[in-house]
Amino acid sequence: MPEQVWSEVDDYFTENLLPTDDVMRATLETNVAENLPPIAVTPPQGKLLNLLARACGAKRILEIGTLGAYSTIWLARALKPGGHLITLEIDLHHAEVARRNLAHAGMSDRVEVRVGRAADLLDAMQGVVEPFDFVFIDADKASYDTYYELALALLRPGGLVVIDNTLWGGAVARPADSADTRALQALNAKVHRDNRVDMVLLPFSDGVTLARKR
Ligand SMILES: C[S@@+](CC[C@H](N)C(=O)[O-])C[C@H]1O[C@@H](n2cnc3c(N)ncnc32)[C@H](O)[C@@H]1O
């Protein structure tokens, strides 16, 4: 499906199939006002993340790639009572905006924004934190394989890894034109063959991979 059609379909969902939400609207407005790039998940994707996290009964959620915490808020709203979400972000300004948006959304008590290289932060968590029920990967594409491996190690059996942008505007279906495309093609092939998980790649927005740890 051409990218323009994806974006039209997302707009259709957003305008017709999602309730209006002042907190989410304010979060996106703050991101624009603070010059964050317009690369947050779309509202339908946010709703999907929320539903999937609820379906897992998630009490512990890990997110890689915070930006202004738009997806974080969708996920934090799905946490079971007493639940906790850790989100990882390399950019200090993004993290500051995220903390402000989380405070406005009333989520500061259950969300922790950790600042640094996600690979380093994930390494530091190995063997130290309790297992997660749900992991969302949405950061630099070249590191997706590293994030997938480190996230799987931190996930409980039966937990879900969700990976964004796995169709990369359809580029994964063509001969690779960039390092990011190659990284995503390699990851898709690997997850497809990975007997540690059951997976499906949803042709939704820019491609969303679901991998449930066996
Ligand atoms: C696509 S955006 C995340 C969007 C966010 N999940 C949402 O939907 O609202 C990717 C984020 O990952 C961050 N990022 C990029 N490389 C990173 C790295 N090596 N470690 C941690 N964060 C990184 C970027 O600064 C950016 O804020």
Side-chain angles (χ1 to χ4, degrees), residues 145-168:
D145 184 63
T146 304
Y147 299 155
Y148 176 68
E149 288 298 333
L150 292 170
L152 258 194
L154 291 167
L155 194 69
R156 69 161 165 85
L160 195 68
V161 184
V162 178
I163 312 171
D164 196 22
N165 307 112
T166 47
L167 289 178
W168 206 226

Side-chain angles (χ1 to χ4, degrees), residues 31 39-41 63-72 88-91 94 116-119 136 138-141 143 147 165:
N31 289 358
I39 52 174
V41 297
E63 179 181 58
I64 304 168
T66 316
L67 192 68
Y70 180 72
S71 55
T72 321
L88 312 181
E89 174 55 56
I90 200 167
D91 185 293
H94 294 182
R117 283 184 66 237
F136 178 47
D138 187 21
D140 51 314
K141 310 309 160 198
S143 304
Y147 299 155
N165 307 112

